[in-house]
Amino acid sequence: MSKTLLIGLDGASFDFLMPWIEEGKLPVFKKILQEGTHGILNSTIPSITCPALPTIYTGMNPGNLGIFSFLNPDGSVVSSSNIPYKSIWHFLSENNKKSLISNLRTTFPPEEINGVMICSLHSIAGKGLGSWENAESHWVYPKELQKELDGWAVDIDSFTENVINKILSGDPQGYQNVKQLEELRASKFKKLLLKADYDFAFHWIEHTDTMNHLCWGNKKLILKFYQEVIEPIMSDYLNTFKDWNILFISDHGAADQVLYDFNINTWLMNNGYLETTWLHKIKLISHILSFAKKHLPYKYIYSKYFNMKKELSTTTKEKAILPNEKNSILGVNWDNTIAYSDLNWGIRINRNKAGDNYEAIREKIISQLKESKSDSGWNIVQNAWKKEDIYSGKYLDQLPDIIVLPQNYIKMTKQIFHNELTQANKSKIGSHFSAINALFMAYGPDIAQHNIIERSNLYDILPTILFMLKQEIPKELDGKVLNKIFAEKSEYFNYQAKYTDETVVRTHQIRDLSDKEEEDMKKMLKSLGYFE
Ligand SMILES: [Zn+2]
C-alpha cells in the first residue's frame, strides 16, 4: 500500500492555469495531466477558504458543518473548536496512522495527534508569532518542534508591510519575500516528512491565493510565481516521494476585483417579490443611499445612522449558523414581501406569504435570475439553485431557499437602491467569492494516466484518502470515494471500500481562542479583503 501526500494550492484553478499549461508555460502541470489524473472539484458557496478547507478535511458539506464564513454568527473567528466533526488527522490517529499536517487555516490551536501538526499563519497569534517562548502562541504540536521552524511564522504586521503593501505598490521585493517564505515552508515540510515514517501528509501552500488577490491585474506575476516557486516545489516532491501517491487540490478558484454590486433586493422589488414602504416609493431613500454609496464611506454612514446590529437567527433546536440581518435591509414592507435576501449568496422566501406556491415561486425566481441581464446584455448570474441541490444536512432549514452564484466580477448586496446593478467600490484586491472551480490532480504509482474524472466535490477528498490508506469509511460522511482515479494495475482498482456506522462527530475538547489571538486573526483576514 502506498502512502498519500496531499498538497493544497490555495486558489488554484484550471480556469486560469489551463491556457498556460496548453501553451507549455507550466511543464510540471502538463506532465501531471499527461501521466496522472485530473478534474474539477466544486468549491463551497461562498467559495472562500473557510468553509472550503474544513469541508475538505472533514468530508462534510457546509450544510452539516454550519460554517459559511471565516466568522461565526456572533462575529468571532472560526477556529478548530468550532469544527463539529472529526478531521482527517483524527480518523488516522484513532487507527494508529501517523500524519504530518502542515499550514492549514482554521486549525489553530494545534491538537495532540499521532504525528505533527503545524497551524497556519492565519491561525497564529500576531505580534511575536516567531517567538515560541510565548507559551500562549504555540502553533505546532509537539511544541518542541516549533524551534526547528525558524522563519516559518510571520508577524501579521510585517507580512502586510513586506508582502502585501510592497506587491501592491509594485516593489519587486514583495514578490521575493513571499517566494522565500513559500520555499522555506516547502523545504521544511519536506525535511520533516523524510524524518519519520508517516502514512499521510498534508501541506497547504497558501500564498498562491495571496498572489491571486494582489496580482490579478498583473497576471504575469502570478504565472511567474507558479513557474519559479510552485512548479519547482511540485517537481521536487514528485521526484523525492516517487513511491507515494500525490494529490494536488485547491479550495476555490480566483477572479478579478468586484466591478459591480448586484442589489438583489432591488431586483426582487422590480420583479414583484419585495414591496417597499412609502419612503422607498418616493425614491428618496434610495437616492440618498446611492449618493452616500458613491461619495461617502458607505459602511460608516450605514452603521452610524441606521441600526445595523446583528441579531442571531432564532432557531431553538439547533445553534444559529447565520446572522439574521433582515432588520438591516431598510424600507421593506414585510407584510407584502414574498422574497428577500439578507446575505450575499442567497434568497429567502417568506413561507407564510408564499404558502402552497412556495415551490412554484422558487422555480420562477431561479429561472428569472438565470435570464436576467445587464443593460449591456451580459448575464448577471452564473447559476442559481434550490438549496437542497447544493447543500444537505442538519442546518438545511436555516439556509436561504435559493442559492445564487453571481458572475465573478459581481458581488451581491442586500440594500435597496435605485438600480439593480451599481458600480462597486474600487478595490485593488481580487475576489474569489464566486469562483467555484477548484482543482484536482493526482499522480503516483496507483494513479491512472492521462485520465480525467467527472466533476466532484471538495468533501470527496477525505473518504478518498481513507480509502487509499485502507481505512474504514464512515457512512455518515457526505463525500464519496473518487474511485475513478486509480490505474487498472493498481491494488485499489478492484479493492472494495469498507464502510462503518461509527460517528463522525468530534467528541474531544479543543480550547477557544484568546482575545489576542482572535484580534490578530481578524486583522489578517481584513488585510486580505475577506471582510470590512
Ligand atoms: Zn483559499
Side-chain angles (χ1 to χ4, degrees):
M1 185 181 67
S2 297
K3 295 163 168 195
T4 307
L5 172 57
L6 180 58
I7 302 293
L9 301 170
D10 202 309
S13 174
F14 288 124
D15 288 352
F16 64 95
L17 292 170
M18 202 52 107
W20 291 335
I21 297 168
E22 283 169 355
E23 287 163 26
K25 288 175 177 160
L26 296 172
V28 180
F29 276 86
K30 194 165 196 168
K31 177 187 161 80
I32 296 172
L33 262 47
Q34 279 167 353
E35 297 171 24
T37 292
H38 74 278
I40 295 170
L41 302 175
N42 291 316
S43 181
T44 52
I45 297 176
S47 300
I48 42 181
T49 305
C50 186
L53 197 40
T55 296
I56 294 170
Y57 63 67
T58 61
M60 299 300 272
N61 88 98
N64 265 321
L65 282 169
I67 296 170
F68 289 87
S69 143
F70 274 105
L71 300 182
N72 293 307
D74 65 1
S76 62
V77 175
V78 172
S79 72
S80 45
S81 70
N82 301 116
I83 312 289
Y85 298 103
K86 289 180 191 172
S87 302
I88 180 78
W89 47 91
H90 299 133
F91 290 112
L92 297 181
S93 290
E94 283 169 10
N95 290 296
N96 292 319
K97 295 278 173 192
K98 199 169 174 137
S99 322
L100 169 56
I101 305 297
S102 165
N103 208 39
L104 303 193
R105 295 187 201 180
T106 66
T107 52
F108 186 82
E111 293 172 63
E112 189 179 330
I113 63 168
N114 178 14
V116 169
M117 176 180 268
I118 305 166
C119 297
S120 95
L121 169 81
H122 289 258
S123 321
I124 302 163
K127 283 277 184 201
L129 274 185
S131 61
W132 48 82
E133 305 82 49
N134 180 357
E136 234 205 358
S137 60
H138 281 302
W139 42 276
V140 178
Y141 173 84
K143 64 184 180 190
E144 303 76 47
L145 208 65
Q146 204 159 301
K147 291 190 204 71
E148 292 176 33
L149 299 178
D150 204 10
W152 181 296
V154 181
D155 176 282
I156 289 163
D157 291 327
S158 82
F159 186 77
T160 305
E161 193 189 317
N162 296 321
V163 174
I164 297 181
N165 293 347
K166 282 201 162 76
I167 289 179
L168 286 177
S169 71
D171 181 344
Q173 192 55 46
Y175 173 87
Q176 289 305 325
N177 290 342
V178 71
K179 174 176 187 278
Q180 246 172 40
L181 184 60
E182 280 304 4
E183 287 171 348
L184 177 138
R185 288 177 178 174
S187 77
K188 291 204 185 252
F189 169 78
K190 179 182 153 189
K191 221 169 132 188
L192 282 174
L193 188 49
L194 288 168
K195 225 164 80 174
D197 191 20
Y198 293 100
D199 301 285
F200 171 70
F202 187 2
H203 178 56
W204 195 261
I205 296 179
E206 63 184 337
H207 294 308
T208 37
D209 189 53
T210 309
M211 293 302 284
N212 288 343
H213 277 285
L214 301 177
C215 310
W216 200 249
N218 177 16
K219 287 210 193 58
K220 273 187 188 160
L221 208 53
I222 296 176
L223 174 60
K224 188 172 143 147
F225 192 71
Y226 273 91
Q227 289 175 323
E228 289 187 356
V229 186
I230 303 306
E231 283 219 323
I233 293 173
M234 290 165 68
S235 143
D236 184 26
Y237 291 169
L238 295 184
N239 292 326
T240 311
F241 305 105
K242 278 201 163 76
D243 51 347
W244 288 57
N245 291 309
I246 308 183
L247 311 184
F248 297 91
I249 57 165
S250 73
D251 48 348
H252 51 73
D256 207 344
Q257 63 212 47
V258 174
L259 301 178
Y260 299 96
D261 286 340
F262 177 34
N263 303 308
I264 183 84
N265 285 319
T266 312
W267 183 91
L268 288 166
M269 177 181 77
N270 291 345
N271 286 284
Y273 299 107
L274 181 147
E275 198 177 296
T276 48
T277 57
W278 64 272
L279 268 174
H280 262 86
K281 281 183 186 137
I282 61 169
K283 304 275 188 208
L284 183 63
I285 281 202
S286 59
H287 279 300
I288 295 171
L289 292 179
S290 299
F291 178 83
K293 189 171 184 298
K294 256 189 211 145
H295 302 281
L296 301 166
Y298 163 65
K299 290 269 165 173
Y300 171 77
I301 302 284
Y302 232 89
S303 56
K304 193 156 171 74
Y305 294 105
F306 301 105
N307 181 12
M308 291 277 285
K309 240 181 156 180
K310 286 181 180 177
E311 287 172 41
L312 299 184
S313 305
T314 50
T315 352
T316 44
K317 269 187 252 156
E318 299 286 0
K319 69 167 178 135
I321 56 158
L322 293 167
N324 178 359
E325 300 208 29
K326 194 175 160 186
N327 294 336
S328 70
I329 318 167
L330 299 171
V332 178
N333 180 349
W334 292 108
D335 291 339
N336 291 324
T337 286
I338 297 167
Y340 64 95
S341 173
D342 63 347
L343 78 185
N344 52 10
W345 46 273
I347 293 172
R348 295 187 190 277
I349 292 174
N350 180 355
R351 287 203 183 225
N352 295 334
K353 192 84 192 141
D356 291 343
N357 294 325
Y358 172 77
E359 276 307 337
I361 291 170
R362 210 155 62 131
E363 277 160 22
K364 184 145 185 238
I365 293 178
I366 288 174
S367 81
Q368 284 176 305
L369 268 175
K370 286 181 180 171
E371 282 160 21
S372 65
K373 294 192 191 308
S374 72
D375 290 343
S376 337
W378 38 261
N379 291 327
I380 296 173
V381 306
Q382 296 183 57
N383 216 335
W385 303 268
K386 295 178 180 179
K387 62 176 165 185
E388 62 273 23
D389 293 338
I390 297 292
Y391 294 122
S392 63
K394 64 182 203 172
Y395 295 114
L396 196 62
D397 277 358
Q398 289 189 47
L399 299 186
D401 302 276
I402 297 168
I403 308 293
V404 186
L405 188 71
Q407 296 293 353
N408 277 333
Y409 46 88
I410 293 176
K411 189 173 168 198
M412 274 168 52
T413 72
K414 57 180 191 268
Q415 303 312 332
I416 302 169
F417 287 107
H418 193 53
N419 297 318
E420 292 172 11
L421 279 175
T422 45
Q423 295 275 328
N425 287 338
K426 277 219 164 92
S427 158
K428 282 185 176 171
I429 288 177
S431 152
H432 48 67
F433 213 76
S434 305
I436 54 161
N437 294 335
L439 162 149
F440 175 84
M441 297 192 299
Y443 184 95
D446 295 301
I447 305 297
Q449 300 209 349
H450 213 88
N451 178 32
I452 304 176
I453 52 163
E454 63 178 17
R455 192 178 258 276
S456 303
N457 291 294
L458 294 183
Y459 44 78
D460 297 328
I461 296 298
L462 181 135
T464 302
I465 285 162
L466 291 178
F467 178 82
M468 291 169 83
L469 296 170
K470 297 196 171 167
Q471 299 294 296
E472 290 188 327
I473 300 166
K475 289 178 191 154
E476 216 182 318
L477 288 175
D478 288 331
K480 58 178 194 326
V481 176
L482 300 175
N483 49 21
K484 297 277 160 49
I485 67 171
F486 301 107
E488 254 176 77
K489 62 173 175 44
S490 143
E491 60 181 309
Y492 299 107
F493 193 76
N494 288 316
Y495 177 72
Q496 289 299 309
K498 291 185 189 73
Y499 289 92
T500 166
D501 288 320
E502 241 170 85
T503 179
V504 296
V505 174
R506 177 173 62 87
T507 45
H508 56 277
Q509 287 293 310
I510 301 174
R511 77 163 170 88
D512 287 328
L513 299 178
S514 73
D515 291 351
K516 178 72 181 124
E517 289 162 355
E518 175 99 32
E519 189 192 311
D520 288 326
M521 284 168 67
K522 278 190 179 168
K523 208 158 124 189
M524 187 64 196
L525 294 168
K526 268 185 201 173
S527 69
L528 282 173
Y530 282 107
F531 52 86
E532 281 141 53

Short mmCIF file of all heavy atoms in Angstrom, two decimals, residues 9-12 47-50 52-53 70 105 204-206 208-210 213 250-253 432 530, ligand 1:
data_model
loop_
_atom_site.label_atom_id
_atom_site.label_comp_id
_atom_site.label_asym_id
_atom_site.label_seq_id
_atom_site.Cartn_x
_atom_site.Cartn_y
_atom_site.Cartn_z
N LEU A 9 -3.03 23.88 -3.05
CA LEU A 9 -2.59 25.10 -3.74
C LEU A 9 -3.76 26.08 -3.64
O LEU A 9 -4.68 26.03 -4.44
CB LEU A 9 -2.27 24.81 -5.21
CG LEU A 9 -1.19 23.76 -5.49
CD1 LEU A 9 -1.16 23.40 -6.97
CD2 LEU A 9 0.17 24.27 -5.04
N ASP A 10 -3.69 26.93 -2.65
CA ASP A 10 -4.85 27.79 -2.36
C ASP A 10 -5.20 28.65 -3.58
O ASP A 10 -4.34 29.32 -4.15
CB ASP A 10 -4.52 28.69 -1.16
CG ASP A 10 -5.77 29.21 -0.48
OD1 ASP A 10 -6.65 29.75 -1.19
OD2 ASP A 10 -5.89 29.07 0.75
N GLY A 11 -6.48 28.60 -3.99
CA GLY A 11 -6.94 29.46 -5.07
C GLY A 11 -6.53 29.01 -6.47
O GLY A 11 -6.78 29.73 -7.44
N ALA A 12 -5.92 27.81 -6.61
CA ALA A 12 -5.53 27.35 -7.95
C ALA A 12 -6.75 26.82 -8.70
O ALA A 12 -7.61 26.18 -8.11
CB ALA A 12 -4.47 26.25 -7.84
N SER A 47 -17.43 30.67 -2.17
CA SER A 47 -16.17 29.98 -2.48
C SER A 47 -15.00 30.67 -1.80
O SER A 47 -14.25 31.39 -2.44
CB SER A 47 -15.96 29.95 -3.99
OG SER A 47 -17.03 29.28 -4.61
N ILE A 48 -14.89 30.45 -0.52
CA ILE A 48 -13.77 31.02 0.23
C ILE A 48 -13.15 29.93 1.11
O ILE A 48 -13.79 28.91 1.37
CB ILE A 48 -14.19 32.24 1.09
CG1 ILE A 48 -15.52 31.99 1.78
CG2 ILE A 48 -14.28 33.50 0.26
CD1 ILE A 48 -15.99 33.15 2.62
N THR A 49 -11.91 30.16 1.50
CA THR A 49 -11.13 29.12 2.18
C THR A 49 -11.87 28.54 3.39
O THR A 49 -11.80 27.34 3.64
CB THR A 49 -9.76 29.69 2.59
OG1 THR A 49 -9.15 30.21 1.41
CG2 THR A 49 -8.88 28.64 3.20
N CYS A 50 -12.53 29.40 4.13
CA CYS A 50 -13.41 28.88 5.20
C CYS A 50 -14.83 29.24 4.79
O CYS A 50 -15.13 30.42 4.70
CB CYS A 50 -13.04 29.51 6.54
SG CYS A 50 -13.94 28.80 7.90
N ALA A 52 -14.41 26.28 2.77
CA ALA A 52 -13.92 25.26 1.83
C ALA A 52 -12.92 24.29 2.46
O ALA A 52 -13.01 23.07 2.28
CB ALA A 52 -13.31 25.94 0.60
N LEU A 53 -11.97 24.82 3.22
CA LEU A 53 -10.94 23.96 3.79
C LEU A 53 -11.49 22.99 4.86
O LEU A 53 -11.20 21.79 4.80
CB LEU A 53 -9.79 24.84 4.32
CG LEU A 53 -8.45 24.19 4.61
CD1 LEU A 53 -8.06 23.16 3.59
CD2 LEU A 53 -7.38 25.25 4.72
N PHE A 70 -15.43 32.96 7.40
CA PHE A 70 -14.36 32.93 8.37
C PHE A 70 -14.86 33.32 9.76
O PHE A 70 -14.17 33.16 10.75
CB PHE A 70 -13.24 33.90 7.97
CG PHE A 70 -12.24 33.31 7.02
CD1 PHE A 70 -12.24 33.65 5.68
CD2 PHE A 70 -11.28 32.41 7.47
CE1 PHE A 70 -11.30 33.12 4.81
CE2 PHE A 70 -10.34 31.88 6.61
CZ PHE A 70 -10.35 32.23 5.27
N ARG A 105 -5.31 26.47 7.39
CA ARG A 105 -6.03 27.52 8.13
C ARG A 105 -7.16 26.90 8.94
O ARG A 105 -7.59 25.79 8.65
CB ARG A 105 -6.63 28.53 7.15
CG ARG A 105 -5.58 29.28 6.40
CD ARG A 105 -6.23 30.37 5.59
NE ARG A 105 -5.34 30.78 4.51
CZ ARG A 105 -5.66 31.72 3.65
NH1 ARG A 105 -6.82 32.33 3.72
NH2 ARG A 105 -4.83 32.05 2.69
N TRP A 204 -0.27 22.77 3.01
CA TRP A 204 -1.07 23.77 2.33
C TRP A 204 -0.19 24.94 1.92
O TRP A 204 0.44 25.58 2.76
CB TRP A 204 -2.20 24.25 3.26
CG TRP A 204 -3.25 25.01 2.52
CD1 TRP A 204 -3.39 26.36 2.43
CD2 TRP A 204 -4.32 24.44 1.76
NE1 TRP A 204 -4.49 26.66 1.64
CE2 TRP A 204 -5.08 25.51 1.22
CE3 TRP A 204 -4.71 23.13 1.46
CZ2 TRP A 204 -6.20 25.32 0.41
CZ3 TRP A 204 -5.83 22.94 0.67
CH2 TRP A 204 -6.56 24.03 0.16
N ILE A 205 -0.15 25.19 0.62
CA ILE A 205 0.58 26.35 0.10
C ILE A 205 -0.43 27.48 -0.02
O ILE A 205 -1.33 27.44 -0.86
CB ILE A 205 1.23 26.00 -1.26
CG1 ILE A 205 2.28 24.89 -1.05
CG2 ILE A 205 1.84 27.24 -1.91
CD1 ILE A 205 2.99 24.44 -2.30
N GLU A 206 -0.32 28.48 0.85
CA GLU A 206 -1.40 29.47 0.93
C GLU A 206 -1.18 30.70 0.06
O GLU A 206 -2.12 31.38 -0.32
CB GLU A 206 -1.63 29.89 2.38
CG GLU A 206 -0.44 30.60 3.01
CD GLU A 206 -0.68 30.90 4.49
OE1 GLU A 206 -1.83 30.98 4.93
OE2 GLU A 206 0.32 31.05 5.21
N THR A 208 -0.27 31.11 -3.02
CA THR A 208 -0.82 31.11 -4.39
C THR A 208 -2.06 32.00 -4.39
O THR A 208 -2.30 32.76 -5.32
CB THR A 208 -1.18 29.68 -4.82
OG1 THR A 208 -1.70 28.98 -3.69
CG2 THR A 208 0.03 28.94 -5.37
N ASP A 209 -2.84 31.91 -3.33
CA ASP A 209 -4.06 32.73 -3.23
C ASP A 209 -3.74 34.20 -2.97
O ASP A 209 -4.35 35.09 -3.55
CB ASP A 209 -4.97 32.18 -2.12
CG ASP A 209 -6.33 32.86 -2.12
OD1 ASP A 209 -6.97 32.87 -3.19
OD2 ASP A 209 -6.74 33.38 -1.08
N THR A 210 -2.75 34.44 -2.13
CA THR A 210 -2.32 35.83 -1.87
C THR A 210 -1.94 36.49 -3.20
O THR A 210 -2.31 37.63 -3.48
CB THR A 210 -1.11 35.85 -0.92
OG1 THR A 210 -1.43 35.05 0.21
CG2 THR A 210 -0.77 37.25 -0.47
N HIS A 213 -5.00 37.34 -5.19
CA HIS A 213 -5.68 38.51 -4.64
C HIS A 213 -4.96 39.81 -5.06
O HIS A 213 -5.59 40.78 -5.42
CB HIS A 213 -5.69 38.46 -3.11
CG HIS A 213 -6.79 37.62 -2.55
ND1 HIS A 213 -8.10 38.05 -2.52
CD2 HIS A 213 -6.79 36.40 -1.98
CE1 HIS A 213 -8.84 37.11 -1.96
NE2 HIS A 213 -8.07 36.10 -1.63
N SER A 250 -7.14 22.29 -4.75
CA SER A 250 -7.32 23.65 -4.26
C SER A 250 -8.67 23.75 -3.58
O SER A 250 -9.46 22.80 -3.60
CB SER A 250 -7.22 24.67 -5.39
OG SER A 250 -8.36 24.62 -6.20
N ASP A 251 -8.93 24.88 -2.98
CA ASP A 251 -10.17 25.07 -2.23
C ASP A 251 -11.20 25.89 -3.00
O ASP A 251 -12.39 25.84 -2.71
CB ASP A 251 -9.87 25.73 -0.87
CG ASP A 251 -8.97 26.96 -1.00
OD1 ASP A 251 -8.38 27.17 -2.08
OD2 ASP A 251 -8.85 27.71 -0.02
N HIS A 252 -10.76 26.65 -3.99
CA HIS A 252 -11.62 27.51 -4.81
C HIS A 252 -10.76 28.06 -5.92
O HIS A 252 -9.55 27.80 -5.94
CB HIS A 252 -12.22 28.66 -3.98
CG HIS A 252 -11.19 29.42 -3.20
ND1 HIS A 252 -10.30 30.30 -3.79
CD2 HIS A 252 -10.84 29.39 -1.90
CE1 HIS A 252 -9.50 30.79 -2.89
NE2 HIS A 252 -9.78 30.25 -1.72
N GLY A 253 -11.35 28.85 -6.82
CA GLY A 253 -10.58 29.45 -7.89
C GLY A 253 -10.21 30.89 -7.58
O GLY A 253 -10.08 31.27 -6.42
N HIS A 432 -12.66 36.01 -4.87
CA HIS A 432 -12.98 34.71 -5.47
C HIS A 432 -14.26 34.14 -4.87
O HIS A 432 -14.46 32.94 -4.83
CB HIS A 432 -11.82 33.73 -5.31
CG HIS A 432 -11.27 33.68 -3.91
ND1 HIS A 432 -11.98 33.18 -2.86
CD2 HIS A 432 -10.08 34.08 -3.40
CE1 HIS A 432 -11.24 33.27 -1.78
NE2 HIS A 432 -10.10 33.82 -2.06
N TYR A 530 -11.28 39.90 3.24
CA TYR A 530 -12.39 38.99 3.49
C TYR A 530 -13.60 39.66 4.12
O TYR A 530 -14.71 39.22 3.97
CB TYR A 530 -11.95 37.78 4.32
CG TYR A 530 -11.22 36.79 3.47
CD1 TYR A 530 -9.86 36.61 3.57
CD2 TYR A 530 -11.92 36.05 2.51
CE1 TYR A 530 -9.19 35.71 2.76
CE2 TYR A 530 -11.26 35.16 1.70
CZ TYR A 530 -9.90 34.99 1.83
OH TYR A 530 -9.25 34.11 1.02
ZN ZN B 1 -8.46 29.83 -0.28
#
